[in-house]
Amino acid sequence: MDGRKRLLLGVPAVVAVVAGVVTFLVWPSGGNSGGKTHAPWSVPAAPPPTRAALPVVDTSAGNRRAPIPGLPDWSKAGYRQGAGLPTEQDLNPDPKCRVTPAVTPNDDRDDTGALQAAIDRIKKDCSPSASYTRLSLITLPAGVLDVTRQLSVDADYLIIRGAGADPATGTRLVFHPDDNTRYDKLTQDGSTWDPDGMDSGDGSGGWLWPGRALFRVQSREVDPGYREDYESAPANRKDIFEGSVNVHWKAGVKLREKPGGAGFSARTGDTVVYLAKAGMKNFKVGGNVTIRAANTMEFYRRQQALPTDQKLQNLHMRQQIFGIAAVDEDAHTITLDKPLEFDVPVDSTSDGSAPIDGKTYDSKASPLVDPVVGVGLENFHLSEDVPGLDAAQAVHNYGNMSPADALNGIVFKWAVDCWVRGIATYLTGSHPIATEEAKNIEISHNNFNGSWNKGKGGNGYLRGSRVWDSLYVGNVSRNLRHFTFQWSASDNVVIGNDFDADLNLHGGWERRNLFERNTVRVPAGHRPGNCRTNCGDEGGSDGPDDSAWYPIWWGAGQKAVKWSGATGPQNVFFDNTMSKQLVDGGPYADFYPDHHTVYQFGWAGSAYHHLSAGGRPIADWAGHEQADFTHGDGVDASRSDPAASLFLNN
């Protein structure tokens, strides 16, 4: 805590309608529109120009290949399963649902209140009758807008659109997090923020994961059981309880054994899940449910994670958001909209395993009670202001320069059918974009450049965690730690991007993801040992770490059990152009260079195969990056395809 004070605005407002556009005039309580007080920050230096956008790729459903036998079905990845991102024809024509907040760009004053008030007014007046073809629009003017607190975007069917991502001519959002937004609790060594130290009432700071952000696309609804805690919490703890209507220990329902299931509620390939006798009011056809399978000792064994000195965890490593196709209240079953990709034991011992940590842990079917749907963020520039830091020191620095400021750009949590298009980020506090329980997200044609924190605790990723059926297309990424899929992410497509960091399968049974037609050019300076402060190796342990990051990173069971578990089956690499510079100033060497071979990692033709060397599972990807796993050692390279894409026709 450095004692910086930010002046915050209230939200009373009046409305003006000019030329068919609604403008909210927002000022502090007891004041007027001229009463906004200058905030005590200096104007940060102008960021570098945004890199040129990559060519637009037609990823619409009409240009997608039919599912290929023997490979995962990626045909429904992205916003509305490939319906295409919205056009002007999808906007609501009602002027009250087309809003310009009452902000004055470049005035060095706090614009947070006006921006949040615009979102809240759309939620109240427009979202209840909105749809994917009647989207509301908040238009941000060109110039610098200053934000001091997290903006909660929980108005369904809403586009927030700036005037362009060029910081010189477009909309430039600068995040100056105030003392109620910065993390006030760090770990004992000061190296990273400490969620466990941020508890309030019965709430845990860990519920904030993956951390605060400038834009948080997530419900703010508080479960009734936490309402009293929420009301009594201080300002810097209230957001712990927001969205708690969706947490699995409140919304989730235990499972029961299916007929003849031998301890399992459902198996891989099933679509019917058997629920314990409990209330079913939140299971609705057309809604969404997260199926959450308890960890078991047998599951850890399958990951080649045993034996281990690491503490094993009672949690749901295997999980996935599905659509609900049918509900049978009499039989207490739900039918999912596509087959399961993993077995679902009734609990952590029902598959015959011994308890983990002496406890039995239940699997769950957890409906999304209040998801955020249909939100798009478009055409602006986003950065975080951290006074006293030098931007040049953040390049190839894989440590945390200011752990209290490790805030994200955009977070999607309990979100479905949302997108980010045409934005640019420069030196966010941590991840420019992070997901945590999100489905059918589309991250399209954006530019991401740098993070102040890329070190211990897992910072500075383009982070795809617990994300499903999503599409990352046409993005340019520079100066981040990794692009990751982790924590059960599956059925996602990463196509046509340009990265200078590794494609990182970070562990936690992520599976069935497709990486194709990407350019990945990893310099020698991209390595964990390049770190000045608050370092830690891959996984957060104290360094030094003398390994190098290659274009691919794969989570071995013995390594990734430190934070989750092994990478899962059938992650596919096809027609990528990948290379690694081995020494500073040296040439780049090609990596998995054949453009027509289908490389299936963690696969043996029909079943999971942990990567192995000399007949034994590898303990760590580090040191094995250049090994050949394609001869029965966990990378199936037996098939090829003459086309230029497994995902698209053209």
Side-chain angles (χ1 to χ4, degrees):
M1 184 82 67
D2 65 4
R4 292 177 295 179
K5 297 186 182 301
R6 309 301 198 196
L7 298 175
L8 310 182
L9 299 182
V11 295
V14 297
V15 179
V17 181
V18 180
V21 177
V22 176
T23 299
F24 290 114
L25 308 177
V26 182
W27 50 75
S29 300
N32 56 40
S33 60
K36 292 172 68 177
T37 307
H38 282 281
W41 56 71
S42 59
V43 178
T50 300
R51 291 177 179 270
L54 295 177
V56 174
V57 178
D58 177 11
T59 58
S60 64
N63 191 35
R64 296 186 179 185
R65 289 181 68 171
I68 301 170
L71 293 177
D73 179 4
W74 299 294
S75 64
K76 295 181 173 61
Y79 176 71
R80 300 185 66 199
Q81 301 185 358
L85 293 179
T87 66
E88 297 304 300
Q89 286 68 42
D90 296 311
L91 294 177
N92 188 339
D94 189 338
K96 76 176 182 180
C97 299
R98 298 189 178 205
V99 169
T100 299
V103 294
T104 302
N106 308 314
D107 65 355
D108 297 334
R109 296 178 179 180
D110 188 352
D111 299 303
T112 311
L115 296 172
Q116 188 64 65
I119 296 167
D120 294 347
R121 185 59 63 92
I122 291 291
K123 179 180 179 180
K124 176 178 179 291
D125 292 345
C126 301
S127 293
S129 60
S131 69
Y132 293 114
T133 57
R134 286 179 61 85
L135 297 165
S136 302
L137 175 66
I138 293 176
T139 301
L140 306 179
V144 177
L145 301 178
D146 297 293
V147 179
T148 62
R149 304 188 307 281
Q150 178 172 271
L151 294 171
S152 295
V153 187
D154 56 352
D156 294 337
Y157 308 112
L158 167 64
I159 300 173
I160 299 177
R161 178 183 293 163
D166 185 334
T169 61
T171 300
R172 182 181 167 198
L173 290 157
V174 182
F175 198 15
H176 315 269
D178 67 14
D179 285 345
N180 285 325
T181 304
R182 300 175 73 236
Y183 300 122
D184 64 331
K185 298 292 184 182
L186 301 181
T187 53
Q188 188 172 5
D189 63 0
S191 63
T192 187
W193 73 286
D194 181 14
D196 294 333
M198 293 180 62
D199 295 352
S200 180
D202 287 335
S204 166
W207 301 354
L208 295 173
W209 196 257
R212 291 173 173 146
L214 195 157
F215 288 107
R216 191 174 183 96
V217 183
Q218 177 202 297
S219 169
R220 281 180 283 174
E221 290 299 309
V222 177
D223 185 86
Y226 296 124
R227 174 57 60 179
E228 185 175 338
D229 282 340
Y230 173 78
E231 297 292 348
S232 62
N236 66 348
R237 296 291 187 270
K238 287 189 180 294
D239 56 344
I240 288 174
F241 302 99
E242 292 176 351
S244 54
V245 292
N246 291 317
V247 297
H248 70 85
W249 56 91
K250 289 293 187 181
V253 172
K254 297 178 184 180
L255 308 180
R256 76 179 196 275
E257 184 178 289
K258 74 173 189 175
F264 289 84
S265 177
R267 290 279 197 172
T268 301
D270 288 350
T271 57
V272 176
V273 179
Y274 289 76
L275 311 183
K277 303 296 184 181
M280 299 186 68
K281 67 176 183 178
N282 290 320
F283 295 97
K284 299 174 182 178
V285 173
N288 294 103
V289 62
T290 306
I291 302 300
R292 311 173 65 97
N295 286 1
T296 71
M297 292 299 292
E298 170 59 24
F299 180 50
Y300 276 119
R301 184 203 61 76
R302 186 183 181 201
Q303 299 173 63
Q304 304 297 335
L306 303 176
T308 180
D309 294 331
Q310 303 297 325
K311 181 178 175 60
L312 302 181
Q313 301 178 79
N314 274 310
L315 47 72
H316 305 118
M317 192 184 307
R318 295 163 292 179
Q319 57 182 266
Q320 188 166 356
I321 296 177
F322 295 89
I324 300 176
V327 176
D328 189 329
E329 295 192 17
D330 294 330
H332 269 75
T333 62
I334 56 172
T335 301
L336 310 177
D337 64 345
K338 65 177 187 176
L340 281 161
E341 299 170 6
F342 48 82
D343 293 340
V344 184
V346 172
D347 58 43
S348 60
T349 63
S350 64
D351 67 350
S353 294
I356 296 172
D357 198 26
K359 302 173 184 175
T360 298
Y361 192 73
D362 294 308
S363 298
K364 296 278 187 72
S366 188
L368 298 193
V369 176
D370 186 31
V372 175
V373 299
V375 166
L377 303 172
E378 302 182 345
N379 301 344
F380 54 75
H381 186 279
L382 184 158
S383 62
E384 183 172 331
D385 173 30
V386 184
L389 296 188
D390 179 1
Q393 296 300 309
V395 178
H396 290 317
N397 179 1
Y398 300 99
N400 295 329
M401 297 177 68
S402 182
D405 293 289
L407 308 170
N408 304 304
I410 300 167
V411 164
F412 291 99
K413 190 167 184 177
W414 301 306
V416 178
D417 285 319
C418 296
W419 73 95
V420 179
R421 171 169 55 179
I423 76 162
T425 68
Y426 177 65
L427 288 175
T428 48
S430 183
H431 315 303
I433 295 180
T435 60
E436 191 74 11
E437 296 197 47
K439 173 179 165 62
N440 291 107
I441 307 298
E442 191 154 334
I443 309 299
S444 175
H445 294 88
N446 305 288
N447 282 265
F448 308 110
N449 187 357
S451 169
W452 292 114
N453 298 281
K454 299 189 292 290
K456 195 170 184 178
N459 288 297
Y461 307 169
L462 185 52
R463 184 177 189 269
S465 175
R466 296 185 176 98
V467 62
W468 301 280
D469 305 300
S470 294
L471 176 62
Y472 298 74
V473 56
N475 302 289
V476 177
S477 174
R478 295 291 183 269
N479 303 314
L480 296 175
R481 186 176 176 104
H482 310 300
F483 176 97
T484 67
F485 282 139
Q486 57 193 109
W487 284 108
S488 208
S490 74
D491 301 329
N492 303 294
V493 174
V494 182
I495 181 173
N497 303 280
D498 187 322
F499 299 119
D500 70 345
D502 47 304
L503 303 176
N504 193 296
L505 295 164
H506 204 56
W509 210 245
E510 67 281 21
R511 60 194 177 275
R512 297 166 54 92
N513 300 293
L514 172 64
F515 300 86
E516 71 164 30
R517 300 189 62 80
N518 301 289
T519 297
V520 186
R521 185 175 168 87
V522 180
H526 184 66
R527 59 182 186 269
N530 247 355
C531 175
R532 297 173 180 86
T533 183
N534 303 318
C535 304
D537 73 354
E538 194 66 68
S541 298
D542 293 333
D545 185 336
D546 60 359
S547 65
W549 285 317
Y550 280 66
I552 295 173
W553 195 95
W554 194 89
Q558 286 284 314
K559 175 75 170 186
V561 73
K562 289 171 25 178
W563 59 89
S564 57
T567 295
Q570 211 172 13
N571 289 288
V572 177
F573 293 81
F574 179 75
D575 196 16
N576 297 288
T577 301
M578 300 187 289
S579 59
K580 170 64 180 174
Q581 185 186 46
L582 298 176
V583 296
D584 290 323
Y588 282 77
D590 291 340
F591 193 76
Y592 284 85
D594 192 295
H595 286 263
H596 292 288
T597 297
V598 181
Y599 297 105
Q600 301 182 70
F601 276 63
W603 197 241
S606 60
Y608 177 65
H609 190 304
H610 190 284
L611 301 193
S612 60
R616 298 177 62 83
I618 63 169
D620 194 343
W621 173 256
H624 292 91
E625 297 93 344
Q626 298 183 76
D628 184 358
F629 297 103
T630 63
H631 300 287
D633 290 315
V635 176
D636 184 342
S638 63
R639 66 188 301 160
S640 62
D641 197 293
S645 172
L646 302 176
F647 180 54
L648 301 176
N649 288 314
N650 182 5

